[in-house]
Amino acid sequence: MTSPATASTVTPLTFTSYVQARGPVLLRTARSLTPNPCDAEDLLQTALAKTYQAWERIEDHRALDGYVRRALVNTRTSQWRKRRVDEYAVAAVPEPEPQHGPDPAEEQGMRDAMWQAVLRLPPRQRAMVVLRYYEDLSEVRTAELLGVSVGTVKSAVSRALAKLRDDPDLAAVAGQPAAGRTAVPAQSGGRLAA
């Protein structure tokens, strides 16, 4: 006769308890089959879905890890076979067309010089230029924010642009042969093009 202390109560293994106990180990296996961690999670989920469908048919629950691993490998193999091949063998590798356009370093230099020139403007003009051209606000909205009339905004911005056109540091950057630009580009749709 066995005593209650030595008698073991065997609780049946459920799918949920199996996944909770073995999930991290199985995820490591899935990650060894695919380089992308997100694809590994999808792969494991697909294999576990197949295992869930076959749960009642699996008699030996000690072999569950092997069953799930086989499902992982088979699923990954099926995915690999179905993948779309976008590479084709050719005699000569086609060279991409050279991209012609402004040099990003020169454009950044121009933007930096423009901002430094804006910072040299008097505070009120600087505020109006920033609101009008950097924040792309209308003259009316700029006037409302600063508590001035629309005419004040127009005249102050006009004077500020004249100062920017005459700024020697900005002219030096814009006068570089590779840049080929004017000191202060014209207004474009309410924006100060830099």
Side-chain angles (χ1 to χ4, degrees), residues 56-135:
E56 298 299 323
R57 295 191 316 262
I58 301 173
E59 295 175 8
D60 185 7
H61 283 213
R62 292 175 294 174
L64 279 171
D65 282 355
Y67 184 90
V68 175
R69 285 189 183 106
R70 175 54 50 197
L72 284 168
V73 170
N74 289 345
T75 302
R76 182 64 183 135
T77 302
S78 295
Q79 290 173 346
W80 180 79
R81 286 180 180 153
K82 292 176 185 176
R83 80 184 197 286
R84 186 172 162 225
V85 178
D86 289 336
E87 297 179 10
Y88 302 98
V90 294
V93 178
E95 292 295 326
E97 291 293 323
Q99 298 293 325
H100 298 289
D103 182 11
E106 288 179 11
E107 287 184 334
Q108 184 61 46
M110 184 64 181
R111 281 191 294 273
D112 291 344
M114 177 66 76
W115 184 246
Q116 291 302 316
V118 168
L119 290 177
R120 287 189 291 272
L121 291 172
R124 185 172 168 165
Q125 288 180 358
R126 180 174 52 237
M128 290 182 190
V129 167
V130 168
L131 290 173
R132 280 288 290 129
Y133 299 108
Y134 286 92
E135 295 296 323

Side-chain angles (χ1 to χ4, degrees), residues 174-191:
Q176 294 175 355
R181 298 184 183 109
T182 59
V184 178
Q187 294 177 182
S188 169
R191 286 198 166 275

Side-chain angles (χ1 to χ4, degrees), residues 117 120-122 125 158-168 170 184:
R120 287 189 291 272
L121 291 172
Q125 288 180 358
S158 177
R159 285 191 300 275
L161 292 177
K163 286 182 183 179
L164 290 174
R165 284 185 193 97
D166 294 336
D167 187 283
L170 189 56
V184 178

Side-chain angles (χ1 to χ4, degrees), residues 4 34 37 48 59 105 107 114 123 142 152:
T34 181
L48 288 175
E59 295 175 8
E107 287 184 334
M114 177 66 76
T142 302
T152 302

